[in-house]
Amino acid sequence: MTERTFLTDEFGTKFNMWGGFRYNRGFLILFLIHVIAFQCFIYYQERYKWQELRNTLESIIVEQRDIYGLTYSVIKRLEGHNMLNGEKQDLTKKPTIYAITPTFTRPVQKAELTRLSQTFLHIPNFHWIVVEDAERKTNLVTRFLENSGLIYTHLSAVTPPNYKLGRNDPNWKKPRGVEQRNAALRWLRENLKLTDKGIVYFADDDNTYSIKLFHEMEKINKVGVWPVGLVGGLMVEKPICDNMTNTIIGFNAAWKPDRPFPLDMAGFAINLQLLLENKNAVFSYDVQGGYQESEILSQIITRKELEPLADCCTKVYVWHTRTEPPQLNVEQMLIKKGKHSNIGIEV
């Protein structure tokens, strides 16, 4: 038989200590429900406040990382050219090469950017403008640029949905890089002035570049042109140069040779001053496929003004070496099982 527990009051009367609990159990449960509800309300309110604070801090952190990355890059560049060791080099006479690179998230993105950066590190007076096709800058590209050792500007500009390529669409079906290149041009016009010496080059991340190409660019007065290897269905697509007059008299392009400027994006660079003077010169979605180069050049120059470089367009210093998409069928099988081979590893 269960022994009951009794308490005695000040008058000596015994009573059951658990009886009151039974009678007030409903009240206690209701009280606990109110306490839990109040705690939940406080939790979600605080969580919302912390989320707001986190979003604010995140934008500040991204800006600080950009500043840190730029500072680190400047120091590394100065060290690379012995300018912190008391040895002076007069780089002020050379124009700054502003290389504009649109990029987008894909398995080979970091590999492509790595290949480019290893070449760009050898170029003095170099400024890399990397523009992501994204709503906001990604952590992968941010970290990559911070550690690249290059002076850089990191931007993002998303391509409108109706101009994005489908998964199985060929590259030529829709114009690519328009939004990103125009964002870079806006940055140049907002941050530089006519007295700044510079050359603007559209350096896509699916090309391979020789260091010699950038030394050639230093000679440009208006728009310099040169051959591009492995493009347009040819071993080399190039302007035809008259050795006697050192002028462009034609082009050997096989793909749409009737274009106003039958050049590949990698086959020319523009003096910064021309782009600052012609503020409305931009790329456009409203042109035929393959006419982006002609669109920008037609707004600032004529064919007769083109300047042949690379030994009168007889040397190839850039190749269109688009990386073959990797075969990731096994990876896709892992993903379906909720696994990844690169968990905790940035590829």
Side-chain angles (χ1 to χ4, degrees):
M1 185 172 179
T2 304
E3 182 180 348
R4 294 186 177 183
T5 303
F6 293 89
L7 294 178
T8 305
D9 62 12
E10 57 183 336
F11 300 107
T13 304
K14 293 182 179 181
F15 61 92
N16 188 341
M17 72 175 281
W18 299 110
F21 170 76
R22 285 198 299 271
Y23 296 137
N24 295 289
R25 182 170 53 187
F27 171 77
L28 182 59
I29 292 173
L30 186 62
F31 174 75
L32 290 175
I33 289 173
H34 277 78
V35 169
I36 294 170
F38 179 73
Q39 290 295 328
C40 289
F41 173 76
I42 295 297
Y43 170 76
Y44 284 108
Q45 190 176 47
E46 291 299 318
R47 183 180 179 184
Y48 178 75
K49 289 180 180 178
W50 276 110
Q51 187 62 43
E52 280 189 328
L53 180 61
R54 178 183 176 184
N55 292 339
T56 302
L57 290 174
E58 198 172 67
S59 62
I60 295 173
I61 290 169
V62 168
E63 290 178 4
Q64 292 300 314
R65 288 176 74 179
D66 282 347
I67 293 171
Y68 165 78
L70 180 59
T71 304
Y72 175 81
S73 299
V74 170
I75 292 172
K76 286 296 182 182
R77 295 283 286 166
L78 291 175
E79 287 178 348
H81 295 288
N82 298 316
M83 296 184 71
L84 296 181
N85 300 324
E87 297 181 22
K88 295 183 178 180
Q89 293 188 18
D90 188 7
L91 299 180
T92 58
K93 295 181 179 179
K94 293 185 177 183
T96 299
I97 307 296
Y98 293 95
I100 296 172
T101 301
T103 187
F104 64 98
T105 300
R106 61 198 192 281
V108 299
Q109 182 183 32
K110 188 176 180 180
E112 301 275 40
L113 293 175
T114 297
R115 187 183 68 253
L116 266 63
S117 68
Q118 301 303 303
T119 298
F120 295 163
L121 279 168
H122 295 279
I123 315 303
N125 279 22
F126 186 87
H127 189 129
W128 198 8
I129 305 176
V130 179
V131 192
E132 293 193 69
D133 186 352
E135 292 283 356
R136 57 193 301 178
K137 294 178 278 189
T138 64
N139 289 331
L140 184 148
V141 177
T142 298
R143 284 191 293 266
F144 175 81
L145 291 172
E146 284 177 356
N147 296 292
S148 67
L150 291 162
I151 295 174
Y152 67 87
T153 293
H154 186 191
L155 306 172
S156 67
V158 65
T159 299
N162 53 316
Y163 287 109
K164 282 186 176 292
L165 287 172
R167 179 174 295 181
N168 298 316
D169 288 341
N171 291 324
W172 47 263
K173 187 172 183 179
K174 294 180 181 179
R176 297 182 303 145
V178 173
E179 207 72 33
Q180 294 72 44
R181 295 187 186 105
N182 284 342
L185 292 177
R186 281 195 301 274
W187 184 91
L188 290 170
R189 288 163 176 152
E190 291 171 359
N191 291 276
L192 301 176
K193 51 187 182 297
L194 284 170
T195 54
D196 291 324
K197 296 179 181 178
I199 303 297
V200 179
Y201 183 49
F202 300 102
D204 290 349
D205 63 0
D206 56 357
N207 294 333
T208 300
Y209 304 92
S210 166
I211 298 169
K212 294 178 181 179
L213 177 64
F214 300 94
H215 295 315
E216 290 291 303
M217 291 182 197
E218 295 172 0
K219 307 171 186 176
I220 294 174
N221 293 310
K222 289 187 176 181
V223 175
V225 294
W226 46 78
V228 178
L230 313 177
V231 70
L234 300 171
M235 281 295 291
V236 61
E237 182 181 85
K238 66 184 182 71
I240 299 171
C241 179
D242 184 338
N243 288 312
M244 299 296 294
T245 60
N246 198 42
T247 57
I248 300 300
I249 57 174
F251 299 86
N252 78 329
W255 188 77
K256 294 189 177 180
D258 57 338
R259 289 173 288 161
F261 291 86
L263 293 164
D264 184 75
M265 196 68 73
F268 67 93
I270 305 169
N271 191 300
L272 172 66
Q273 189 174 14
L274 275 180
L275 288 170
L276 297 182
E277 289 173 343
N278 297 274
K279 295 183 179 181
N280 295 322
V282 294
F283 294 93
S284 172
Y285 289 108
D286 299 323
V287 296
Q288 300 178 52
Y291 277 74
Q292 290 298 328
E293 297 86 350
S294 296
E295 176 69 12
I296 190 75
L297 291 174
S298 296
Q299 299 175 66
I300 59 177
I301 202 169
T302 65
R303 275 196 183 195
K304 293 180 180 179
E305 296 175 285
L306 295 176
E307 304 160 30
L309 297 174
D311 198 7
C312 206
C313 296
T314 61
K315 302 289 176 60
V316 176
Y317 295 140
V318 56
W319 299 261
H320 194 54
T321 50
R322 183 183 294 118
T323 302
E324 181 181 352
Q327 298 300 317
L328 298 173
N329 54 316
V330 178
E331 188 73 29
Q332 295 303 319
M333 292 171 61
L334 285 176
I335 291 172
K336 290 179 180 178
K337 296 178 181 179
K339 302 177 182 179
H340 298 265
S341 66
N342 60 320
I343 292 177
I345 301 175
E346 187 176 271
V347 182

